[in-house]
Amino acid sequence: MALKNQYLADLLEKVKQRNQGEPEFIQAVTEVFMSLEPVAEKRPDLIEAGVFERIVEPERQIIFRVPWVDDNGVTQVNRGFRIEFNSAIGPYKGGLRLHPSVYLGIIKFLGFEQIFKNSLTTLPMGGGKGGSDFNPKGKSDGEVMRFCQSFMTELCKHIGPDTDVPAGDIGTGAREIGYMFGQYKRIRNEFTGVLTGKGLTFGGSLARTEATGYGVCYFTDELLKANGKSFKDQTVVISGSGNVAIYATQKATELGAKVVALSDSNGYIYDENGIDLALVKQLKEVERKRIKEYVNVHPEAKYTEGCSGIWTIPCDIALPCATQNEIDENSAKALAENGCYAVIEGANMPSTPEAIEVYFANNMLYGPAKAANAGGVAVSGLEMSQNSERLSWTFEDVDNRLHNIMKEIFKSCDEAAKEYGMEGNYMAGANIAGFLKVAEAMKAQGCV
Ligand code: NDP
C-alpha cells in the first residue's frame, strides 16, 4: 500500500535514503506514516513545525565497543548501542536487547516504536532503546557478568535517572540488569533508579516481571469486551516462552481461556489439555532449558521443530509474544482459515505489513504492539516513581495501576480511531494517539 499524502510520501523517501540497510526501521516508520495521513491533512501546523521530519531522526545514536574476556581467557568484542530517540515528554526510556541479530536497524525500529508506546502509557517517558549483538545463551554467569560490566562501563556516561533509564528486553532479564546496575553504582558512586527491572532487594518494583504479559491480557480483555467477546472458554495460541509469553499465559488462563501452545526459537509445543505453566516456568526461568523438554513430562503433548507452524494450530485468539516479523502473510492466512478472530501483539512488531493486511481483510480484531505490550514500560515508569519516592508499593497496588493504565490505553486508541474516521482500527488509533501527545510537546518546545 502506498501513501496518498504527498508530504508524507516524500518524507518517507528521504527516510529510506538516509537509513539504507535498515528494513525494520523503514517498516516501522511506514506503518506509522500510513496511520498518520489524516493527521497530516488535519494539522498543517505540525508540518510547519517540522514535527514529522524531526520525529524520524533520533536525537542521539551511540555505538560503542564492548570488549570482554571469556572463560578461556580469550578476548571477545561485541558492539553496543543506545538510541536516544525522543525526549519531548520525558527522559529516554526503553529496554536493552541482547541477541545476535541486534544491529542499528533493529534498535532504531524499537526506539521509534517506544516513543509512541511510552506516550500511550500516560506517564512522562521519552523513547529510547539499546542493546548488543552479544548472545547470553550458553554463556556462563561469569561471562555474562564480564560482558554486562564492560557494556555499562561505556553506557554509564550517557544515562542517568533524569536523562535515560534503560530496562530489560530479549536476553536481558533480572540477572543482566543486576550486573549492569552494580557496575553503574560502582563507577558513578550513586544509588539511583537508573535502570528498571531491578531485583526486589535493590529498588525493583513488584509486578514488573508480570507486567508486560499481564498488560497484554488486560488490553485484550478490553478490546474483546468492546467487541462483545471475552477470554472465557477461548482457545489461545501464544508464541515464545520468555518473560512476556509466560505471564500472558498466566493471566489469559486466569481470565478463563485455555492456552494450548508455546514456542521458543527451535520449535513449539501443542498441549490440547492446556499448557502446564508451572512446568514451563521451571524449564525456562529456573533451568534455562529448551521448550521441547516439556514433552518429557507431558508425552501426550506434541513438539514440532520450527517456529512458524505454531500459527497453523486452530485457535480463537493468537498472542504473538516472541519477536519481530514472526507472523507473515501465510501464517496470518492460516490463522484466519482456522477461525482465529483476534491477534493481539505481545512482542514488538511481530506481524509483517502483509500479515496485518490479512487481518483487516478478514475483519479480525487486531491489537498492535505499541498499545498492547505497553504494560511493561508502564510499570517501569511506576518503578521510577517508587525509586524517586524511596518507597515500595504492594503487588496489588502496582497491578491495579497497571490494569487502569491498560484500560486507558485501549480507550485512547479506540477514541482516536473513531475521531479520525477509522473505528475499530486500533493500529491507527494507537499511532495517532501516541503521536499527537509527543507532537504537541515538540511543537511547544520549538525547533530542538
Ligand atoms: P525473552 O528473552 O524473555 O523471551 C523471548 C522468547 O522469544 C523466547 O522464548 C525466545 O526463544 C523466543 N524468540 C526469540 N527470538 C526468536 C526468533 N527469532 N524466533 C522465534 N522465537 C524467538 O524476551 P521477552 O519475553 O522479554 O520479549 C519478547 C518480545 O516482547 C520481544 O519482542 C520484546 O521486545 C517484547 N517486549 C518485551 C517487554 C518486556 O517487558 N520484557 C516489554 C515490551 C515488549 P529462545 O529462548 O529460543 O531464544
Side-chain angles (χ1 to χ4, degrees):
M1 278 207 291
L3 284 160
K4 289 183 217 70
N5 181 283
Q6 199 52 47
Y7 169 76
L8 289 178
D10 292 346
L11 181 54
L12 184 60
E13 275 316 304
K14 264 196 230 164
V15 172
K16 286 181 182 168
Q17 284 301 317
R18 217 181 221 178
N19 302 280
Q20 291 181 28
E22 298 173 10
E24 297 85 359
F25 178 56
I26 305 296
Q27 183 182 335
V29 174
T30 306
E31 183 211 286
V32 170
F33 276 13
M34 299 292 288
S35 301
L36 293 181
E37 286 193 293
V39 181
E41 303 287 339
K42 200 167 164 180
R43 295 291 305 271
D45 58 312
L46 297 179
I47 297 179
E48 270 160 41
V51 167
F52 294 92
E53 269 95 348
R54 288 188 283 140
I55 209 163
V56 293
E57 186 65 22
E59 290 176 18
R60 196 172 296 107
Q61 310 189 43
I62 303 150
I63 304 181
F64 50 99
R65 181 171 70 194
V66 190
W68 55 281
V69 177
D70 71 16
D71 286 347
N72 299 317
V74 178
T75 297
Q76 302 287 342
V77 177
N78 286 102
R79 187 171 284 179
F81 300 90
R82 187 70 186 165
I83 302 299
E84 298 183 331
F85 221 117
N86 192 297
S87 61
I89 62 167
Y92 310 105
K93 181 94 198 83
L96 297 170
R97 177 172 293 191
L98 300 181
H99 193 272
S101 63
V102 163
Y103 78 105
L104 186 61
I106 294 264
I107 301 298
K108 275 168 67 179
F109 119 64
L110 290 164
F112 183 69
E113 291 283 290
Q114 199 81 42
I115 304 171
F116 309 104
K117 181 187 308 196
N118 293 2
S119 163
L120 284 169
T121 65
T122 69
L123 302 175
M125 299 182 289
K129 198 81 187 188
S132 171
D133 56 1
F134 173 78
N135 186 0
K137 237 180 267 167
K139 304 286 191 304
S140 69
D141 281 351
E143 289 176 323
V144 170
M145 182 177 76
R146 290 193 293 281
F147 167 82
C148 289
Q149 291 179 338
S150 178
F151 183 79
M152 184 50 84
T153 300
E154 177 59 32
L155 188 68
C156 76
K157 299 170 191 165
H158 311 284
I159 62 176
D162 298 317
T163 313
D164 183 355
V165 184
D169 189 67
I170 291 181
T172 307
R175 174 181 61 171
E176 290 76 16
I177 292 288
Y179 293 148
M180 290 184 196
F181 183 77
Q183 184 74 349
Y184 181 90
K185 186 164 62 64
R186 176 161 72 164
I187 297 176
R188 299 285 291 261
N189 196 23
E190 350 171 301
F191 194 112
T192 53
V194 68
L195 290 165
T196 57
K198 298 185 292 298
L200 293 176
T201 52
F202 54 98
S205 174
L206 286 162
R208 174 60 187 92
T209 307
E210 293 82 357
T212 308
Y214 277 22
V216 170
C217 293
Y218 292 147
F219 181 91
T220 304
D221 195 38
E222 292 301 306
L223 189 153
L224 293 175
K225 278 196 240 158
N227 290 279
K229 298 187 182 293
S230 88
F231 262 124
K232 186 113 188 58
D233 299 328
Q234 302 300 285
T235 300
V236 178
V237 164
I238 298 184
S239 62
S241 50
N243 174 264
V244 181
I246 285 178
Y247 292 97
T249 302
Q250 184 160 318
K251 186 51 74 179
T253 309
E254 272 174 40
L255 293 172
K258 183 163 79 166
V259 179
V260 295
L262 285 176
S263 63
D264 62 21
S265 53
N266 292 107
Y268 64 92
I269 49 160
Y270 175 41
D271 189 341
E272 256 185 315
N273 303 320
I275 293 289
D276 173 354
L277 190 62
L279 173 61
V280 174
K281 282 188 180 178
Q282 177 66 25
L283 290 174
K284 302 303 278 190
E285 293 185 333
V286 182
E287 298 173 20
R288 293 179 189 268
K289 285 194 174 154
R290 310 309 298 156
I291 199 73
K292 70 173 169 210
E293 309 273 341
Y294 185 94
V295 294
N296 295 340
V297 180
H298 288 288
E300 72 286 5
K302 192 166 170 254
Y303 173 74
T304 309
E305 276 290 322
C307 300
S308 58
I310 193 170
W311 309 118
T312 62
I313 298 173
C315 65
D316 302 302
I317 299 167
L319 305 178
C321 294
T323 195
Q324 65 273 356
N325 291 330
E326 55 175 309
I327 304 186
D328 61 9
E329 184 177 7
N330 286 338
S331 296
K333 281 184 179 159
L335 283 168
E337 278 159 19
N338 287 323
C340 172
Y341 65 79
V343 180
I344 291 71
E345 300 179 334
N348 283 312
M349 208 169 75
S351 312
T352 63
E354 296 77 24
I356 296 172
E357 280 184 32
V358 173
Y359 306 152
F360 286 129
N362 287 278
N363 293 322
M364 291 160 80
L365 300 170
Y366 169 52
K370 60 174 72 69
N373 73 19
V377 74
V379 172
S380 279
L382 301 179
E383 183 174 330
M384 289 164 73
S385 304
Q386 293 170 75
N387 292 164
S388 300
E389 288 187 329
R390 307 245 187 272
L391 285 176
S392 294
W393 304 339
T394 63
F395 186 97
E396 204 184 14
D397 192 0
V398 179
D399 189 32
N400 282 336
R401 288 174 195 252
L402 167 66
H403 200 160
N404 287 333
I405 288 172
M406 297 314 296
K407 284 184 181 173
E408 279 307 310
I409 293 176
F410 177 74
K411 200 164 149 237
S412 33
C413 297
D414 192 30
E415 287 176 357
K418 283 179 184 151
E419 190 187 332
Y420 282 83
M422 289 179 279
E423 185 166 355
N425 183 341
Y426 305 114
M427 175 180 81
N431 286 327
I432 293 170
F435 170 80
L436 280 175
K437 181 176 168 190
V438 179
E440 302 294 4
M442 288 175 74
K443 186 183 162 200
Q445 290 168 23
C447 186
V448 291

